[in-house]
PDB file of all heavy atoms in Angstrom:
ATOM      1  N   HIS A 122      -4.028  34.741  13.309  1.00  0.00           N
ATOM      2  CA  HIS A 122      -2.701  35.305  13.032  1.00  0.00           C
ATOM      3  C   HIS A 122      -2.281  36.280  14.126  1.00  0.00           C
ATOM      4  O   HIS A 122      -1.123  36.291  14.549  1.00  0.00           O
ATOM      5  CB  HIS A 122      -2.686  36.010  11.673  1.00  0.00           C
ATOM      6  CG  HIS A 122      -2.901  35.079  10.527  1.00  0.00           C
ATOM      7  ND1 HIS A 122      -3.518  35.458   9.377  1.00  0.00           N
ATOM      8  CD2 HIS A 122      -2.597  33.774  10.356  1.00  0.00           C
ATOM      9  CE1 HIS A 122      -3.572  34.442   8.553  1.00  0.00           C
ATOM     10  NE2 HIS A 122      -3.029  33.405   9.123  1.00  0.00           N
ATOM     11  N   TYR A 123      -3.224  37.089  14.581  1.00  0.00           N
ATOM     12  CA  TYR A 123      -2.963  38.077  15.625  1.00  0.00           C
ATOM     13  C   TYR A 123      -2.496  37.397  16.922  1.00  0.00           C
ATOM     14  O   TYR A 123      -1.580  37.885  17.591  1.00  0.00           O
ATOM     15  CB  TYR A 123      -4.232  38.894  15.868  1.00  0.00           C
ATOM     16  CG  TYR A 123      -4.197  39.801  17.057  1.00  0.00           C
ATOM     17  CD1 TYR A 123      -3.516  41.018  17.019  1.00  0.00           C
ATOM     18  CD2 TYR A 123      -4.849  39.455  18.236  1.00  0.00           C
ATOM     19  CE1 TYR A 123      -3.482  41.861  18.116  1.00  0.00           C
ATOM     20  CE2 TYR A 123      -4.823  40.290  19.341  1.00  0.00           C
ATOM     21  CZ  TYR A 123      -4.131  41.486  19.282  1.00  0.00           C
ATOM     22  OH  TYR A 123      -4.102  42.303  20.379  1.00  0.00           O
ATOM     23  N   LEU A 124      -3.136  36.271  17.273  1.00  0.00           N
ATOM     24  CA  LEU A 124      -2.813  35.591  18.533  1.00  0.00           C
ATOM     25  C   LEU A 124      -1.606  34.667  18.427  1.00  0.00           C
ATOM     26  O   LEU A 124      -0.931  34.425  19.427  1.00  0.00           O
ATOM     27  CB  LEU A 124      -4.028  34.782  19.007  1.00  0.00           C
ATOM     28  CG  LEU A 124      -5.236  35.589  19.450  1.00  0.00           C
ATOM     29  CD1 LEU A 124      -6.408  34.667  19.738  1.00  0.00           C
ATOM     30  CD2 LEU A 124      -4.907  36.437  20.663  1.00  0.00           C
ATOM     31  N   TRP A 125      -1.332  34.153  17.252  1.00  0.00           N
ATOM     32  CA  TRP A 125      -0.290  33.145  17.117  1.00  0.00           C
ATOM     33  C   TRP A 125       1.097  33.718  17.419  1.00  0.00           C
ATOM     34  O   TRP A 125       1.897  33.070  18.106  1.00  0.00           O
ATOM     35  CB  TRP A 125      -0.321  32.528  15.714  1.00  0.00           C
ATOM     36  CG  TRP A 125       0.506  31.290  15.642  1.00  0.00           C
ATOM     37  CD1 TRP A 125       0.095  30.034  15.957  1.00  0.00           C
ATOM     38  CD2 TRP A 125       1.883  31.193  15.267  1.00  0.00           C
ATOM     39  NE1 TRP A 125       1.138  29.155  15.788  1.00  0.00           N
ATOM     40  CE2 TRP A 125       2.250  29.835  15.361  1.00  0.00           C
ATOM     41  CE3 TRP A 125       2.834  32.111  14.856  1.00  0.00           C
ATOM     42  CZ2 TRP A 125       3.516  29.380  15.071  1.00  0.00           C
ATOM     43  CZ3 TRP A 125       4.111  31.651  14.561  1.00  0.00           C
ATOM     44  CH2 TRP A 125       4.437  30.305  14.667  1.00  0.00           C
ATOM     45  N   ILE A 126       1.389  34.906  16.944  1.00  0.00           N
ATOM     46  CA  ILE A 126       2.737  35.468  17.128  1.00  0.00           C
ATOM     47  C   ILE A 126       3.055  35.701  18.605  1.00  0.00           C
ATOM     48  O   ILE A 126       4.066  35.199  19.103  1.00  0.00           O
ATOM     49  CB  ILE A 126       2.935  36.741  16.280  1.00  0.00           C
ATOM     50  CG1 ILE A 126       2.925  36.346  14.796  1.00  0.00           C
ATOM     51  CG2 ILE A 126       4.233  37.460  16.641  1.00  0.00           C
ATOM     52  CD1 ILE A 126       2.868  37.507  13.836  1.00  0.00           C
ATOM     53  N   PRO A 127       2.216  36.419  19.370  1.00  0.00           N
ATOM     54  CA  PRO A 127       2.546  36.551  20.802  1.00  0.00           C
ATOM     55  C   PRO A 127       2.445  35.215  21.539  1.00  0.00           C
ATOM     56  O   PRO A 127       3.158  34.989  22.513  1.00  0.00           O
ATOM     57  CB  PRO A 127       1.526  37.561  21.330  1.00  0.00           C
ATOM     58  CG  PRO A 127       0.448  37.633  20.315  1.00  0.00           C
ATOM     59  CD  PRO A 127       1.047  37.226  19.015  1.00  0.00           C
ATOM     60  N   GLY A 128       1.583  34.327  21.050  1.00  0.00           N
ATOM     61  CA  GLY A 128       1.491  32.996  21.654  1.00  0.00           C
ATOM     62  C   GLY A 128       2.783  32.224  21.487  1.00  0.00           C
ATOM     63  O   GLY A 128       3.242  31.536  22.406  1.00  0.00           O
ATOM     64  N   LYS A 129       3.385  32.328  20.323  1.00  0.00           N
ATOM     65  CA  LYS A 129       4.670  31.669  20.048  1.00  0.00           C
ATOM     66  C   LYS A 129       5.761  32.255  20.947  1.00  0.00           C
ATOM     67  O   LYS A 129       6.582  31.526  21.511  1.00  0.00           O
ATOM     68  CB  LYS A 129       5.040  31.850  18.572  1.00  0.00           C
ATOM     69  CG  LYS A 129       6.303  31.189  18.158  1.00  0.00           C
ATOM     70  CD  LYS A 129       6.124  29.704  18.028  1.00  0.00           C
ATOM     71  CE  LYS A 129       7.368  29.101  17.389  1.00  0.00           C
ATOM     72  NZ  LYS A 129       7.363  27.671  17.462  1.00  0.00           N
ATOM     73  N   GLU A 130       5.750  33.578  21.105  1.00  0.00           N
ATOM     74  CA  GLU A 130       6.727  34.232  21.983  1.00  0.00           C
ATOM     75  C   GLU A 130       6.545  33.789  23.432  1.00  0.00           C
ATOM     76  O   GLU A 130       7.526  33.546  24.142  1.00  0.00           O
ATOM     77  CB  GLU A 130       6.608  35.747  21.855  1.00  0.00           C
ATOM     78  CG  GLU A 130       7.051  36.278  20.506  1.00  0.00           C
ATOM     79  CD  GLU A 130       6.696  37.739  20.274  1.00  0.00           C
ATOM     80  OE1 GLU A 130       6.040  38.363  21.137  1.00  0.00           O
ATOM     81  OE2 GLU A 130       7.074  38.263  19.207  1.00  0.00           O
ATOM     82  N   LEU A 131       5.291  33.675  23.873  1.00  0.00           N
ATOM     83  CA  LEU A 131       5.013  33.223  25.237  1.00  0.00           C
ATOM     84  C   LEU A 131       5.512  31.796  25.434  1.00  0.00           C
ATOM     85  O   LEU A 131       6.141  31.488  26.446  1.00  0.00           O
ATOM     86  CB  LEU A 131       3.505  33.298  25.526  1.00  0.00           C
ATOM     87  CG  LEU A 131       3.056  32.732  26.868  1.00  0.00           C
ATOM     88  CD1 LEU A 131       3.659  33.513  28.025  1.00  0.00           C
ATOM     89  CD2 LEU A 131       1.530  32.718  26.959  1.00  0.00           C
ATOM     90  N   ARG A 132       5.246  30.921  24.472  1.00  0.00           N
ATOM     91  CA  ARG A 132       5.700  29.534  24.588  1.00  0.00           C
ATOM     92  C   ARG A 132       7.223  29.469  24.679  1.00  0.00           C
ATOM     93  O   ARG A 132       7.776  28.719  25.485  1.00  0.00           O
ATOM     94  CB  ARG A 132       5.203  28.704  23.418  1.00  0.00           C
ATOM     95  CG  ARG A 132       5.718  27.264  23.510  1.00  0.00           C
ATOM     96  CD  ARG A 132       5.044  26.342  22.576  1.00  0.00           C
ATOM     97  NE  ARG A 132       3.749  26.002  23.140  1.00  0.00           N
ATOM     98  CZ  ARG A 132       2.867  25.259  22.507  1.00  0.00           C
ATOM     99  NH1 ARG A 132       3.128  24.783  21.318  1.00  0.00           N
ATOM    100  NH2 ARG A 132       1.715  24.963  23.065  1.00  0.00           N
ATOM    101  N   GLN A 133       7.911  30.266  23.887  1.00  0.00           N
ATOM    102  CA  GLN A 133       9.373  30.270  23.919  1.00  0.00           C
ATOM    103  C   GLN A 133       9.875  30.759  25.276  1.00  0.00           C
ATOM    104  O   GLN A 133      10.814  30.200  25.840  1.00  0.00           O
ATOM    105  CB  GLN A 133       9.938  31.153  22.795  1.00  0.00           C
ATOM    106  CG  GLN A 133      11.432  31.054  22.642  1.00  0.00           C
ATOM    107  CD  GLN A 133      11.895  29.628  22.356  1.00  0.00           C
ATOM    108  OE1 GLN A 133      11.287  28.908  21.571  1.00  0.00           O
ATOM    109  NE2 GLN A 133      12.955  29.206  23.024  1.00  0.00           N
ATOM    110  N   LYS A 134       9.223  31.793  25.810  1.00  0.00           N
ATOM    111  CA  LYS A 134       9.598  32.316  27.128  1.00  0.00           C
ATOM    112  C   LYS A 134       9.386  31.249  28.200  1.00  0.00           C
ATOM    113  O   LYS A 134      10.229  31.068  29.073  1.00  0.00           O
ATOM    114  CB  LYS A 134       8.756  33.561  27.434  1.00  0.00           C
ATOM    115  CG  LYS A 134       9.059  34.199  28.759  1.00  0.00           C
ATOM    116  CD  LYS A 134       8.185  35.414  29.001  1.00  0.00           C
ATOM    117  CE  LYS A 134       8.387  35.954  30.391  1.00  0.00           C
ATOM    118  NZ  LYS A 134       7.461  37.041  30.712  1.00  0.00           N
TER     119      LYS A 134
END
Side-chain angles (χ1 to χ4, degrees):
H122 295 149
Y123 171 78
L124 292 174
W125 193 86
I126 293 170
K129 182 75 171 169
E130 292 169 357
L131 174 63
R132 178 168 282 176
Q133 188 59 42
K134 181 180 174 186

